[in-house]
């Protein structure tokens, strides 16, 4: 079950000499994704935005089917939104919290999500509690189970944290959430496009993701999954004339599907790009993509760990394509700048992105090299060469 690497490389438009290892930031679009967008922008410029949307109505509707195929849900359980954060926030703030409610989350939770917990803690008097991790670093499902009582209103976790290489056991967590009938929200921003996602297997009620990262789609577009089980209980935190209909002077009706979390105006070129990106990933196969990502990342971790002065900070029994490391005596920002001079793109993550995990593990600013299935072993060798030089001082 291997990937046809050559055809994938042929679809890249990457500038010669560039080694893109910032796929957890924004990946490289394949040619078809760019073309889907350019074609639509051209149509908008030539016949008008509304007319272009009408002309592409079927393809735009098909995006919902593509997302449904990607995560194994129904098309009417999908909302297309501006980014993962908007999707996540729409879901989170639609849950009506009350004083005394408990939110259980992960130690390596993403800053934006945690900030929202803090806000409802301040406004509504809910408590936020982190589920302890196992010795390997992932969320401990036994500990989660031991924390449950009738006040737990939400289990909300990040599938793949923004750094640290970890894949959290979202299926096992979902089994607990379902058994106890607790709402379950999953941030799949870093996992969509990197590994197979099945909301039936995860048993989540809500799941958010973005287009530009491992899905290799455009910027400024993402999606939210809202399970049929929960939809009727959720009132979007903001509504407009798309998400609801003004049926009487003092009355409105919400849309009956997950699109109640959308609003009227959209970037249709980006939507068509996202559809193309999802279909491209499905065409390759998420299992094959994951296998190649895991192989490359494991190889990179091994090579980095052998270098003097380099520490790999990744945790978890199951790891992903995100590799986090630091170089003794050299700031992560400086490492990234020097790599960029050689055409190697990485990013830097700072402790405030995952404050609880970073504090617990005394993490410094870290270099984040995130591989994707189009990367080549020779590119990783080049990264290692440059990092070795930097570490040697
Ligand atoms: C784990 C995680 N969740 C959410 C986000 C936010 O995604 P977006 O920028 O698409 O809103 C990120 C972005 O890096 C992330 O790493």
């Amino acid at each position: 079950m291997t990937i046809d690497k050559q055809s994938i490389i042929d679809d890249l438009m990457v500038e010669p000499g560039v080694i893109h290892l910032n796929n957890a930031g924004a990946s490289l679009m394949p040619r078809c994704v760019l073309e889907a967008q350019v074609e639509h922008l051209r149509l908008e410029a030539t016949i008008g935005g509304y007319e272009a949307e009408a002309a592409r109505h079927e393809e735009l509707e098909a995006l919902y089917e593509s997302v449904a195929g990607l995560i194994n849900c129904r098309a009417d359980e999908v909302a297309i939104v501006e980014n993962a954060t908007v999707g996540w926030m729409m879901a989170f703030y639609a849950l009506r919290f009350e004083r005394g409610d408990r939110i259980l989350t992960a130690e390596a939770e993403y800053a934006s999500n945690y900030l929202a917990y803090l806000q409802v803690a301040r406004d509504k008097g809910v408590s936020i509690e982190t589920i302890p991790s196992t010795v390997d670093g992932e969320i401990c499902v036994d500990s989660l189970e031991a924390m449950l009582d009738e006040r737990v209103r939400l289990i909300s976790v990040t599938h793949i944290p923004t750094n640290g290489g970890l894949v959290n056991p979202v299926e096992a967590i979902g089994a607990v959430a379902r058994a106890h009938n607790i709402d379950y929200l999953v941030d799949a921003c870093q996992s969509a496009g990197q590994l197979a996602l099945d909301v039936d297997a995860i048993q989540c009620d809500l799941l958010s993701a973005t287009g530009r990262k491992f899905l290799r789609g455009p910027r400024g577009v993402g999606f939210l999954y809202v399970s049929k089980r929960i939809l009727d209980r959720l009132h979007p935190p903001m509504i407009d004339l798309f998400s609801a209909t003004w049926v009487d002077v003092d009355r409105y009706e919400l849309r009956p599907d997950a699109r109640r979390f959308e609003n009227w105006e959209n970037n249709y070129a980006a939507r068509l790009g996202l559809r193309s990106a999802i279909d491209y990933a499905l065409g390759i196969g998420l299992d094959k993509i994951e296998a190649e990502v895991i192989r490359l990342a494991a190889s990179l971790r091994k090579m980095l760990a052998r270098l003097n002065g380099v520490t790999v900070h990744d945790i978890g029994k199951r790891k992903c394509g995100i590799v986090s490391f630091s170089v003794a005596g050299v700031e992560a920002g400086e490492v990234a700048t020097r790599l960029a001079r050689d055409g190697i793109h990485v990013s830097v993550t700072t402790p405030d992105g995952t404050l609880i995990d970073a504090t617990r593990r005394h993490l410094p600013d870290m270099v984040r090299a995130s591989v994707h299935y189009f990367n080549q072993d020779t590119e990783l060798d080049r990264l290692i060469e440059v990092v070795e030089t930097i570490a040697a001082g």
Side-chain angles (χ1 to χ4, degrees):
M1 202 177 67
T2 52
I3 224 156
D4 177 3
K5 203 105 175 183
Q6 196 49 53
S7 79
I8 285 157
I9 290 168
D10 291 345
D11 290 337
L12 283 170
M13 290 162 297
V14 63
E15 196 174 302
V18 163
I19 296 176
H20 194 74
L21 297 169
N22 190 16
N23 298 291
S27 189
L28 298 174
M29 291 181 274
R31 190 181 308 276
C32 59
V33 173
L34 175 71
E35 281 168 2
Q37 293 173 84
V38 170
E39 197 188 313
H40 191 71
L41 290 173
R42 192 161 283 126
L43 197 61
E44 286 187 345
T46 48
I47 66 168
Y50 290 14
E51 292 73 12
E53 179 198 343
R56 290 279 179 275
H57 179 74
E58 270 175 38
E59 291 99 315
L60 286 162
E61 282 300 302
L63 167 59
Y64 295 86
E65 296 292 345
S66 294
V67 175
L70 181 74
I71 63 171
N72 188 27
C73 70
R74 295 163 41 147
D76 62 0
E77 293 176 307
V78 174
I80 304 299
V81 289
E82 293 88 332
N83 51 57
T85 304
V86 168
W88 191 96
M89 296 289 162
M90 277 297 197
F92 177 72
Y93 286 104
L95 297 161
R96 301 289 150 133
F97 292 98
E98 286 171 15
R99 181 163 295 279
D101 283 348
R102 299 169 66 207
I103 298 173
L104 305 188
T105 188
E107 285 179 336
E109 189 66 358
Y110 188 60
S112 295
N113 305 351
Y114 211 93
L115 289 166
Y117 306 146
L118 289 173
Q119 192 187 44
V120 296
R122 199 194 60 173
D123 290 353
K124 303 268 177 69
V126 307
S127 71
I128 317 159
E129 293 160 56
T130 49
I131 309 158
S133 304
T134 67
V135 284
D136 291 311
E138 64 270 349
I139 294 168
C140 175
V141 181
D142 290 341
S143 301
L144 164 66
E145 211 151 7
M147 293 169 82
L148 298 181
D149 66 16
E150 68 291 341
R151 290 188 304 126
V152 176
R153 172 73 184 84
L154 176 70
I155 298 172
S156 174
V157 302
T158 300
H159 191 188
I160 291 184
T162 206
N163 60 43
L166 170 68
V167 183
N168 271 316
V170 286
E171 291 86 357
I173 295 167
V176 173
R178 184 63 64 81
H180 295 266
N181 208 15
I182 298 167
D183 293 342
Y184 180 31
L185 165 59
V186 173
D187 174 346
C189 184
Q190 294 289 3
S191 49
Q194 177 175 183
L195 43 83
L197 283 176
D198 179 338
V199 291
D200 260 0
I202 299 173
Q203 302 192 66
C204 54
D205 300 293
L206 302 151
L207 177 142
S208 54
T210 207
R212 72 183 182 283
K213 297 181 186 286
F214 288 92
L215 273 174
R216 303 182 64 194
R219 298 196 67 172
V221 67
F223 66 82
L224 170 68
Y225 157 75
V226 185
S227 160
K228 273 269 173 220
R229 286 187 303 276
I230 198 174
L231 183 77
D232 287 340
R233 282 202 277 123
L234 297 185
H235 201 111
M238 291 172 291
I239 56 170
D240 76 342
L241 78 183
F242 178 84
S243 52
T245 305
W246 195 6
V247 290
D248 212 336
V249 194
D250 58 356
R251 210 165 55 81
Y252 61 84
E253 278 170 12
L254 289 173
R255 279 187 66 115
D257 55 18
R259 294 193 211 185
R260 64 174 58 174
F261 291 99
E262 297 186 7
N263 56 64
W264 197 84
E265 172 57 3
N266 294 291
N267 182 339
Y268 290 105
R271 285 181 168 218
L272 290 167
L274 178 62
R275 178 194 172 211
S276 173
I278 293 173
D279 291 351
Y280 188 85
L282 290 173
I284 295 168
L286 269 302
D287 290 341
K288 284 190 191 171
I289 288 175
E290 179 178 352
E292 183 63 359
V293 168
I294 300 304
R295 184 190 74 76
L296 287 163
S299 158
L300 180 57
R301 279 188 200 102
K302 206 160 151 192
M303 291 191 288
L304 282 167
R306 280 200 210 112
L307 298 181
N308 277 334
V310 173
T311 307
V312 176
H313 297 280
D314 292 344
I315 52 173
K317 213 179 289 166
R318 182 177 171 201
K319 293 192 183 65
C320 66
I322 298 177
V323 179
S324 302
F325 65 96
S326 57
V327 178
V330 191
E331 288 295 322
E334 174 61 17
V335 176
T337 304
R338 286 173 56 187
L339 286 166
R341 261 187 239 141
D342 279 278
I344 304 172
H345 299 169
V346 294
S347 53
V348 171
T349 62
T350 52
D352 61 354
T354 49
L355 192 68
I356 293 173
D357 181 47
T359 307
R360 183 179 67 98
R361 296 202 284 139
H362 309 288
L363 293 175
D365 286 8
M366 298 188 291
V367 182
R368 181 178 69 177
S370 42
V371 301
H372 216 337
Y373 59 90
F374 55 73
N375 287 125
Q376 301 175 67
D377 292 283
T378 49
E379 295 182 318
L380 303 188
D381 293 342
R382 180 72 192 129
L383 171 86
I384 293 295
E385 255 174 52
V386 182
V387 173
E388 189 167 25
T389 313
I390 296 169

